[in-house]
């Protein structure tokens, strides 16, 4: 997606890569995602809400509700995260890998 990012909202740089994402919503406007994340680091890391962003259909970028999950080196886990309520659907959930 190529939405402009005039407010310069970015996820924190991390060693986490989003492998897969299943987006979920309900009639009340709740937005959830089941994501599979891989820790690409050679050591243990903790994933938190600052490492992920959801891009919504109106171009907004929103962090999920607070959470933490510990990953072993090169471990992949699936987790369910909450992005609150929004009238627009989530288009994607992504991280920001260190380059």
């Amino acid at each position: 997606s190529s939405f402009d990012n005039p407010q310069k909202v970015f996820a924190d740089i991390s060693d986490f890569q989003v492998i897969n994402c299943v987006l979920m919503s309900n009639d009340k406007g709740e937005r959830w995602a089941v994501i599979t994340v891989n820790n690409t680091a050679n050591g243990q890391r903790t994933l938190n809400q600052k490492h992920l962003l959801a891009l919504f259909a109106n171009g907004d970028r929103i962090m999920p509700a607070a959470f933490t999950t510990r990953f072993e080196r090169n471990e992949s886990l699936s987790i369910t995260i909450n992005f609150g309520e929004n009238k627009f659907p989530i288009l994607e959930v992504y991280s920001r890998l260190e380059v």
Side-chain angles (χ1 to χ4, degrees):
S1 300
S2 297
F3 282 95
D4 194 23
N5 190 0
Q7 295 164 330
K8 306 296 184 213
V9 177
F10 298 102
D12 285 357
I13 294 173
S14 70
D15 294 310
F16 296 104
Q17 179 179 20
V18 176
I19 304 298
N20 189 38
C21 182
V22 176
L23 305 173
M24 301 177 295
S25 63
N26 62 26
D27 292 338
K28 295 189 297 186
E30 292 176 321
R31 305 297 181 225
W32 292 79
V34 177
I35 61 169
T36 302
V37 179
N38 177 257
N39 173 17
T40 64
N42 288 323
Q44 190 179 71
R45 298 287 187 271
T46 300
L47 175 71
N48 67 46
Q49 69 279 0
K50 295 179 182 179
H51 297 125
L52 299 170
L53 281 178
L55 176 63
F56 284 77
N58 65 344
D60 286 349
R61 289 162 174 85
I62 297 175
M63 285 184 188
F67 75 94
T68 59
T69 303
R70 185 173 290 294
F71 286 72
E72 297 299 324
R73 69 181 190 101
N74 297 317
E75 181 177 29
S76 293
L77 292 174
S78 293
I79 57 174
T80 303
I81 53 178
N82 180 358
F83 286 92
E85 292 183 15
N86 198 304
K87 73 177 191 175
F88 292 96
I90 297 173
L91 299 178
E92 64 181 308
V93 176
Y94 61 95
S95 61
R96 185 173 167 211
L97 289 171
E98 189 168 20
V99 181

